[in-house]
Amino acid sequence: MADPISNIIKKRRQQLGLTQSQLAQRAGISDKTYQRIEQGCSDMRLSQYRSLITACQMTDLDVSLDLLGIDSANTEDVAAASRLLLPITRLRLVQSIVEEWQRKAHDVDKTKKGNAR
């Protein structure tokens, strides 16, 4: 039987519309290894976990929230959870938030320019 983290990765894989083979390729692991992890026949190494969640566009926080069954989180939840992260992970979280904000600001600028024509 697969462990809860493998189930979370499988669910995200399915949400992304990826096959097992496609996710394995994105994560840089063999198809057979990923199949065994997803089926619960093989334990996942930390390096494989990192590669798989990155390929699924997830963070440790996403996995933790999914493990707790939290479908949505407000800013206070995220702030509280971020205090528990390692400093490097917290830095990555902040960088991701800034990148997302910049992407959205860029999209808004493009929309405004398109509407002005």
Side-chain angles (χ1 to χ4, degrees), residues 3-30:
D3 71 284
I5 293 175
S6 295
N7 288 333
I8 288 167
I9 293 170
K10 176 182 178 180
K11 181 179 174 185
R12 182 59 67 100
R13 173 184 66 76
Q14 292 170 333
Q15 289 171 342
L16 293 170
L18 299 173
T19 64
Q20 289 180 336
S21 181
Q22 289 168 323
L23 180 56
Q25 184 178 19
R26 285 185 182 190
I29 61 178
S30 73

Side-chain angles (χ1 to χ4, degrees), residues 96-108:
S96 294
I97 292 168
V98 169
E99 288 169 5
E100 184 66 17
W101 177 80
Q102 289 171 336
R103 185 190 63 77
K104 285 185 179 183
H106 177 73
D107 290 349
V108 167

